Amino acid sequence: MKNSVSDQSFYIESEEEEDEEKEFGRNEGDDDGHQSDSSDSSADNQQQNKPNSYNTSWPQSYRQSIDLYSSVPSPSIGFLGGTPTLTRLGSSFLSASLIRRHTPESLASISKPLLPGLADEQVPQQRRSSHSLLPPIPSSRKHSIRKDEKASFVSHELPISRQSSYGQAVLNGINVLCGVGILSTSYATKEGGWVGLSILLIFAVLSFYTGMLLGYCLDSAPGLETYPDIGQAAFGTSGRIAISIILYVELYACCVEYIILESDNLSLLFPNAHLSFGGFELNSHHLFALMATLAVLPTVWLRDLRVLSYISAGGVVASVLVVICLFWVGLVDGVGFHSRGTALNLPTLPVAIGLYGYCYSGHAVFPNIYTSLEKPNQYPSILLVCFVICTVMYAGVASVGYMMFGESTQSQFTLNMPKDLVASKIAVWTTVVNPFTKYALTMSPVALSLEELIPSNQRKSHIYAIVIRTGLVISTLVVGLAIPFFGLVMSLIGSLLTMLVALILPCACFLSILRGKTTRFQVTLCILIITVGSVASAFGTYSALSKIIESLSH
């Protein structure tokens, strides 16, 4: 199947689909087998067609872009012609046209989900919003295909009824939580000592609880779907904008980390690489940072990021593979565990706090996971499974890596692994390849939010979108070259941004939205978490900045 439908044909199809949906809505009351009462159906449709008052302020693209960034594909997708799964695949191609026009108009006009799992869901009736505007369709008409359709184009079901299952939600959660942070947990243990490792467990417990608080906030009012929606419900439009900016800065900083990561690991593989031209000398770090930027730039220009989102879902596999390689090197290849380490390294403990905090920076996506669930009551169990699995992996890597490499542990344990071992090469190359699939998806929410600010009479031009995205990519290269310290930058992100997103803001929003309905224990616990998050943020940010300035001065 080709994905070559023009923008014009896409919008024509959308208008035809809207006409069909209206016809279906008028006739649905006649089907007593699916609707017990036509008046009930009409009432439902009226409620479904109410606009989402929380999705009218900037950014309006948050839900769709974060779904695309974080989704794990549904295992039900197949390639058998004429089957329902093929029509669902056709729907994915259609809805992926969201990226074809980088404009808020297309974001507002498309209610079709982006991807299976998180995005290809039909929001349950108790959580209707602007993403569930279509009336129910009798089953006899679900698979209708227009006769005048082009051969390269397969119609899709109306509405798409796929929802996120328990397994998909767990994979989505692990994919978000277990990212590049796992590479630095050994370094965090070296910076904080064995006692400092307890901070990882504390943050895991607190972050799990604040993730639950986000679910309570979503249930507090109809129409709440995303983290910015929660911010708006708690603190008005200013709260929505402030939280959105924090989330986007965190995503942008992750892209900077990807550039530094590529530079460090490729320099390890090819230490003698360099380039000279016009009197300028580029060493291996600068050269590979530039090459990585040039490699990811075309992916950021892509109008259809669906393929990348499918590939990046392998982030879970990549993380597990890298962990297995580390254990293999220590247990099988004979590197062994020699270092006893230090019990507590107080001077650099704040750096470790930021690194451990970064490990639990998935709260921006938790609301999307919750609102996509087929059974929302499974959310606590899903969250618990995700945190337990990720914490076990983090703690295992932190302990094994520190015992293997001791005080020589670097910011990424892949930099310590012996170069001549097969397991080491697998780990390094996996670390190198993975960010290439994630960079564009991570930057896309930031780019789309900025493209919403383009004047309305210029939004149809792709030039502005290309300029914005190119500027963002180049700026990450500049920042990555200016501050090429992977561990310290990660500690700064974890201290300054993740503490806000994962600890402070969920509690503040919960107390604001549900004030008067909370117990004294909940209020006390939220205040305690806000205090812990604020203190950790202050010390971690100061320490990380001090270390960065000290490193730059050398």
Side-chain angles (χ1 to χ4, degrees):
M1 186 190 311
K2 298 180 180 179
N3 189 23
S4 59
V5 184
S6 66
D7 290 339
Q8 183 177 1
S9 64
F10 170 75
Y11 284 105
I12 292 175
E13 292 287 341
S14 299
E15 292 173 0
E16 293 175 354
E17 290 163 8
E18 289 175 1
D19 293 337
E20 290 181 359
E21 291 157 12
K22 292 178 182 178
E23 181 182 353
F24 294 161
R26 287 193 298 267
N27 296 333
E28 66 177 345
D30 297 335
D31 191 346
D32 295 332
H34 294 85
Q35 298 292 335
S36 60
D37 192 325
S38 60
S39 61
D40 292 341
S41 174
S42 300
D44 286 344
N45 291 339
Q46 290 176 2
Q47 183 176 357
Q48 281 181 301
N49 286 315
K50 289 181 180 179
N52 182 2
S53 60
Y54 293 102
N55 197 31
T56 58
S57 303
W58 181 90
Q60 297 178 29
S61 60
Y62 184 87
R63 173 62 194 260
Q64 291 90 340
S65 58
I66 292 296
D67 279 349
L68 186 65
Y69 159 67
S70 59
S71 290
V72 171
S74 167
S76 63
I77 284 189
F79 295 92
L80 298 176
T83 64
T85 51
L86 181 59
T87 60
R88 293 190 183 100
L89 183 62
S91 171
S92 293
F93 276 101
L94 276 175
S95 54
S97 298
L98 171 66
I99 313 299
R100 293 179 177 277
R101 291 182 182 269
H102 309 287
T103 66
E105 284 136 334
S106 63
L107 293 171
S109 64
I110 301 174
S111 60
K112 311 297 185 299
L114 282 167
L115 288 174
L118 271 182
D120 275 358
E121 81 273 11
Q122 176 187 4
V123 180
Q125 289 185 357
Q126 63 269 28
R127 297 197 53 80
R128 289 179 181 132
S129 68
S130 60
H131 294 278
S132 180
L133 298 178
L134 301 179
I137 306 300
S139 59
S140 61
R141 308 185 68 171
K142 280 186 177 180
H143 300 282
S144 61
I145 299 179
R146 287 180 292 274
K147 295 180 180 179
D148 56 344
E149 197 166 43
K150 294 182 180 179
S152 62
F153 200 86
V154 181
S155 178
H156 58 285
E157 296 176 309
L158 297 171
I160 299 170
S161 60
R162 283 168 297 167
Q163 298 171 324
S164 182
S165 66
Y166 188 96
Q168 288 172 333
V170 168
L171 288 177
N172 284 322
I174 295 175
N175 192 39
V176 171
L177 280 176
C178 196
V180 296
I182 199 169
L183 299 174
S184 296
T185 51
S186 301
Y187 177 70
T189 307
K190 186 203 82 169
E191 293 292 288
W194 289 112
V195 175
L197 190 58
S198 61
I199 297 174
L200 179 70
L201 180 60
I202 294 173
F203 281 162
V205 174
L206 297 183
S207 298
F208 168 75
Y209 180 74
T210 55
M212 294 290 297
L213 294 183
L214 292 177
Y216 296 143
C217 292
L218 292 170
D219 287 334
S220 64
L224 295 180
E225 295 182 343
T226 64
Y227 209 144
D229 292 347
I230 294 174
Q232 184 173 357
F235 306 111
T237 303
S238 58
R240 178 185 184 87
I241 294 175
I243 287 179
S244 299
I245 291 175
I246 293 172
L247 297 175
Y248 287 136
V249 171
E250 187 179 36
L251 290 174
Y252 176 86
C254 288
C255 290
V256 174
E257 285 284 79
Y258 288 149
I259 297 298
I260 302 174
L261 179 71
E262 295 295 332
S263 174
D264 289 345
N265 284 274
L266 286 172
S267 296
L268 176 68
L269 292 170
F270 309 102
N272 297 322
H274 66 280
L275 181 65
S276 301
F277 63 97
F280 289 95
E281 181 76 21
L282 294 179
N283 60 26
S284 59
H285 281 84
H286 293 168
L287 175 61
F288 287 120
L290 178 60
M291 292 178 62
T293 303
L294 294 176
V296 299
L297 184 57
T299 67
V300 177
W301 292 338
L302 288 176
R303 299 178 184 178
D304 182 2
L305 297 178
R306 186 185 61 86
V307 175
L308 286 181
S309 68
Y310 277 69
I311 298 174
S312 71
V316 178
V317 177
S319 298
V320 173
L321 180 59
V322 171
V323 172
I324 292 174
C325 290
L326 175 67
F327 278 76
W328 185 277
V329 168
L331 295 172
V332 180
D333 288 335
V335 173
F337 311 102
H338 311 291
S339 175
R340 294 183 178 180
T342 57
L344 180 63
N345 194 352
L346 196 58
T348 54
L349 180 62
V351 174
I353 291 175
L355 292 170
Y356 288 136
Y358 183 91
C359 294
Y360 299 105
S361 57
H363 286 64
V365 184
F366 289 163
N368 297 52
I369 292 177
Y370 179 63
T371 54
S372 72
L373 284 174
E374 181 180 9
K375 299 177 180 179
N377 60 339
Q378 294 178 336
Y379 178 70
S381 174
I382 290 169
L383 210 59
L384 180 61
V385 171
C386 293
F387 272 90
V388 168
I389 293 175
C390 291
T391 302
V392 169
M393 291 179 63
Y394 284 139
V397 170
S399 303
V400 171
Y402 188 35
M403 287 189 294
M404 287 173 61
F405 309 120
E407 297 304 316
S408 63
T409 303
Q410 299 189 51
S411 60
Q412 305 149 62
F413 68 75
T414 53
L415 303 179
N416 288 102
M417 300 174 74
K419 301 178 183 179
D420 57 332
L421 299 178
V422 174
S424 299
K425 294 178 180 178
I426 294 174
V428 173
W429 277 110
T430 301
T431 303
V432 166
V433 171
N434 197 36
F436 282 107
T437 65
K438 288 181 173 290
Y439 186 100
L441 294 169
T442 307
M443 185 61 78
S444 181
V446 184
L448 286 172
S449 69
L450 295 178
E451 289 162 21
E452 289 185 43
L453 305 178
I454 298 174
S456 57
N457 60 339
Q458 302 292 337
R459 287 175 183 168
K460 293 184 179 180
S461 174
H462 295 312
I463 300 299
Y464 293 92
I466 292 176
V467 170
I468 289 174
R469 290 165 184 258
T470 303
L472 287 172
V473 173
I474 294 176
S475 66
T476 60
L477 171 64
V478 173
V479 176
L481 291 177
I483 315 174
F485 314 115
F486 184 85
L488 294 179
V489 172
M490 180 177 288
S491 179
L492 180 61
I493 297 170
S495 300
L496 183 61
L497 299 173
T498 305
M499 293 299 169
L500 279 170
V501 174
L503 298 183
I504 299 173
L505 290 175
C507 293
C509 291
F510 175 77
L511 293 177
S512 176
I513 293 175
L514 297 174
R515 57 182 176 273
K517 300 179 182 179
T518 56
T519 64
R520 181 174 300 179
F521 174 77
Q522 289 174 326
V523 173
T524 303
L525 188 55
C526 284
I527 293 175
L528 176 63
I529 294 175
I530 291 174
T531 303
V532 170
S534 300
V535 172
S537 179
F539 280 97
T541 301
Y542 175 79
S543 180
L545 286 175
S546 299
K547 292 284 186 181
I548 290 174
I549 294 173
E550 180 182 349
S551 299
L552 289 174
S553 63
H554 294 160

